[in-house]
Amino acid sequence: MMSEVFFHNTLSRRAEPIEPLKGNVIGMYCCGPTVYAQAHIGNFRTFLSQDVMRRTLQVAGYKVIHVRNLTDVDDKTIKKSHEEGKPLNEVTEHWTRVFHRDCERFNMLPPQIEPKATEHIDEQISMITTLLDKGYAYSTDDGSVYFRVSSFDDYGKLSRLKERELTTSAADASPNDSDEYERDSMADFVMWKSRKEDDGDVFWESPWGEGRPGWHLECSAMAMKYLGSHLDIHSGGEDLIFPHHENEIAQSECSCNSQFFRYWIHCAHLLVEGGKMSKSLNNFYTVDDIEERGFPPVVLRYALTSGAYRQTINFTMDSLHAAQSALVRLKRFSDDVLQAAGLKRTALLKAINKGKHLQDEWGDFAPAWEKLSHDLNIPGALGSIFTAIKGTKTANLNSEEAAKIAIAYHKLIYALGYNLDQVVIEKPKADVPEEIEDLAKQRWEAKQAKDWASSDQLRDELQNRGWKILDRKDGYELEAL
Ligand code: AMP
Ligand code: ZN
């Protein structure tokens, strides 16, 4: 039995229950990273929201086939390979490894299929051939091929752009189409780019001559190949609505004469300290930059996903402190309830991942699940979680009651994807009695004087009195045992 999950569909502009085309299997295609640099925290806001979407569908009882592509050829990747004097694949493979490492640190579930644009050139050429045969596309003298926007009546249905707006905005909106080509109308977009000098040795043979595919085409071809019978969810950041997704729909629907994906889900952008992220403003953060400031990836994950995914959020360093203390509360409750239930966190989360406990009752966590499964209302769900854990006294529970609560709670922790093992709970500083402080001081002085016998003896005495000495570089700390 699956429970209902609602997402806001950009196509219909309303929240809709997700009903897969086939049984309980949901195909979910996410536009992946362009692998020419390290993904920034804005990119990760989108990728993390998609991870929560997938986990939520899984907890609701669906089997999700998650496909996320790697854009490993486009203007940016080619430029980077020239700048570094390295072959294109060396550059893209390096940044792919960095991306995978970052995803793992964020505790993101890896997609089952991660296709690369450069490994699907034949599929892209075949789609262009179909569109040319059907009259939706035309080739130009220089060996490029364009999609004729005026040939598809539904063009603009996703972004709701009027035809007259398209003629001016389409050309500006996609940097990947910005080269000088001989298109018939400014709105037409390129599917095959004839080889240019700047491309160097990055080109493939095609029926129209040497060249490379346009950016929009890769997602159409790869989504069709891997999710052809599961065209359920397609997702990306809001900047992809137009022209990328609009163009994907045009190419795919015209080549197949049927609807491409039915649910289009878009994540709003992340701003940093109120503005757009940019290298020149020095606010272009990666997970490493945040970790250097002392916050593990789980804290950043919390800060990036705790707002409503369809609203622009403003990232501040203060939000990390708030995230850290919220996570400490979540971890404390997890530790307490697991102890009362005699369960282990890793084993329980693994069981949930394998589909166990999905039919178990939500109990006091029902309102939190209700909110999460209604268009990922994460702020609402977190509020309900904190209310529920505040009202639960784990010390008063027998192990059976505790197990029920632990399972419901960890289903939410699983859906939200927090790796609580990364959360550091600092022990509160204990009040140290004066005579203990004196002994510790004497021991430190003995140690400085290299009087090891006295130093050891004093340490043992402190130990007997229930205090442990932790030596630091230029002093010591006392910890109650
Ligand atoms: P790219 O690597 O540029 O193709 O982008 C990867 C993903 O990140 C896409 O889904 C983009 O829409 C998304 N994205 C880019 N910038 C931001 C941002 N500032 N906030 C949220 N998502 C973003
Ligand atoms: Zn895409």
Side-chain angles (χ1 to χ4, degrees):
M1 260 296 283
M2 287 86 72
S3 63
E4 266 192 332
V5 176
F6 291 75
F7 286 135
H8 182 271
N9 188 354
T10 308
L11 204 54
S12 62
R13 298 289 193 276
R14 53 189 175 79
E16 290 178 40
I18 302 294
E19 287 162 4
L21 280 174
K22 283 205 176 151
N24 72 336
V25 179
I26 295 189
M28 176 169 166
Y29 186 96
C30 301
C31 293
T34 310
V35 277
Y36 73 109
Q38 188 170 5
H40 56 61
I41 59 173
N43 301 133
F44 273 110
R45 178 186 193 202
T46 293
F47 295 135
L48 286 165
S49 301
Q50 292 163 340
D51 187 55
V52 182
M53 254 173 235
R54 169 177 167 187
R55 287 165 171 275
T56 301
L57 289 166
Q58 212 182 323
V59 170
Y62 296 98
K63 184 177 176 310
V64 183
I65 307 176
H66 182 195
V67 181
R68 188 180 58 217
N69 67 298
L70 292 164
T71 298
D72 62 347
V73 58
D74 77 330
D75 293 351
K76 287 180 279 189
T77 44
I78 293 174
K79 187 161 169 257
K80 190 72 172 232
S81 99
H82 288 172
E83 280 167 9
E84 297 190 345
K86 290 181 184 154
L88 181 68
N89 66 340
E90 200 177 303
V91 171
T92 57
E93 279 165 19
H94 168 75
W95 291 113
T96 299
R97 280 193 295 277
V98 172
F99 178 66
H100 286 162
R101 187 206 55 177
D102 288 354
C103 290
E104 209 179 302
R105 289 152 87 201
F106 272 125
N107 198 32
M108 288 163 60
L109 297 171
Q112 290 93 334
I113 306 165
E114 200 175 36
K116 292 178 180 171
T118 54
E119 290 176 358
H120 295 80
I121 302 294
D122 288 349
E123 288 85 345
Q124 298 178 72
I125 288 178
S126 142
M127 190 173 257
I128 300 174
T129 308
T130 306
L131 290 167
L132 277 167
D133 288 350
K134 288 183 164 185
Y136 290 110
Y138 59 92
S139 57
T140 52
D141 292 343
D142 73 342
S144 298
V145 183
Y146 289 89
F147 184 91
R148 192 185 301 284
V149 162
S150 60
S151 67
F152 179 46
D153 286 345
D154 276 349
Y155 195 83
K157 69 176 171 181
L158 182 72
S159 53
R160 313 245 168 125
L161 284 180
K162 304 243 159 51
E163 183 81 32
R164 62 188 156 77
E165 289 172 321
L166 292 172
T167 51
T168 50
S169 53
D172 308 331
S174 170
N176 287 37
D177 294 356
S178 60
D179 312 356
E180 285 301 310
Y181 290 92
E182 314 154 27
R183 60 188 118 180
D184 286 358
S185 153
M186 285 302 275
D188 294 350
F189 60 89
V190 73
M191 294 192 292
W192 187 259
K193 293 178 155 193
S194 65
R195 186 177 173 192
K196 294 269 182 289
E197 214 180 300
D198 281 350
D199 293 341
D201 59 359
V202 180
F203 67 90
W204 288 264
E205 298 291 343
S206 82
W208 317 285
E210 294 170 345
R212 58 184 167 102
W215 169 45
H216 314 301
L217 193 64
E218 66 179 89
C219 290
S220 286
M222 297 190 287
M224 285 297 205
K225 175 166 179 177
Y226 296 106
L227 293 175
S229 44
H230 298 286
L231 294 169
D232 300 310
I233 295 176
H234 198 118
S235 158
E238 62 184 353
D239 57 312
L240 299 190
I241 299 174
F242 184 85
H244 185 54
H245 288 163
E246 199 71 75
N247 292 354
E248 278 190 47
I249 290 174
Q251 295 162 150
S252 311
E253 299 199 350
C254 291
S255 73
C256 294
N257 293 337
S258 59
Q259 187 171 9
F260 193 34
F261 286 83
R262 289 166 311 130
Y263 307 103
W264 291 81
I265 304 174
H266 293 99
C267 182
H269 268 198
L270 176 85
L271 300 178
V272 171
E273 311 284 356
K276 221 181 138 114
M277 237 178 305
S278 88
K279 291 231 159 75
S280 57
L281 290 172
N282 212 16
N283 64 358
F284 195 91
Y285 298 124
T286 65
V287 58
D288 293 311
D289 299 325
I290 304 300
E291 199 156 32
E292 271 166 29
R293 287 166 164 81
F295 297 99
V298 64
V299 174
L300 183 55
R301 180 178 177 118
Y302 188 103
L304 294 177
T305 55
S306 57
Y309 80 94
R310 290 195 297 117
Q311 274 166 27
T312 305
I313 58 164
N314 186 26
F315 176 80
T316 60
M317 287 297 158
D318 280 350
S319 67
L320 293 171
H321 292 284
Q324 164 72 26
S325 49
L327 282 163
V328 165
R329 283 157 72 197
L330 294 178
K331 182 172 183 170
R332 282 217 172 100
F333 185 76
S334 166
D335 289 346
D336 292 349
V337 78
L338 287 170
Q339 198 184 13
L343 293 171
K344 292 265 178 286
R345 186 152 52 230
T346 313
L348 180 53
L349 291 170
K350 238 186 214 159
I352 294 167
N353 175 260
K354 291 224 155 70
K356 296 218 175 82
H357 305 301
L358 300 184
Q359 304 304 325
D360 292 14
E361 284 165 28
W362 284 104
D364 288 348
F365 292 101
W369 171 248
E370 173 79 12
K371 285 172 185 148
L372 190 63
S373 56
H374 276 73
D375 204 23
L376 295 193
N377 175 0
I378 299 180
L382 285 168
S384 298
I385 290 175
F386 286 120
T387 307
I389 65 180
K390 217 169 158 189
T392 309
K393 299 277 165 278
T394 47
N396 303 340
L397 301 170
N398 64 37
S399 63
E400 208 175 302
E401 291 164 338
K404 275 193 187 158
I405 296 173
I407 288 167
Y409 178 67
H410 286 87
K411 281 200 282 184
L412 289 163
I413 294 295
Y414 177 83
L416 293 163
Y418 302 140
N419 177 359
L420 296 179
D421 295 337
Q422 283 181 4
V423 179
V424 181
I425 302 184
E426 284 184 10
K427 286 202 173 160
K429 284 218 182 330
D431 279 340
V432 184
E434 214 170 306
E435 75 265 22
I436 298 291
E437 194 64 74
D438 278 349
L439 283 174
K441 239 185 238 156
Q442 286 173 36
R443 187 241 162 211
W444 179 251
E445 281 159 14
K447 192 177 172 215
Q448 297 305 98
K450 299 199 181 348
D451 177 357
W452 306 121
S454 308
S455 162
D456 285 353
Q457 190 211 332
L458 286 159
R459 195 195 48 213
D460 291 346
E461 185 165 349
L462 282 163
Q463 181 100 7
N464 292 340
R465 293 193 188 200
W467 293 87
K468 189 174 166 190
I469 290 256
L470 302 165
D471 283 329
R472 304 281 184 231
K473 239 193 277 158
D474 41 14
Y476 59 88
E477 270 176 49
L478 280 164
E479 193 181 274
L481 288 169

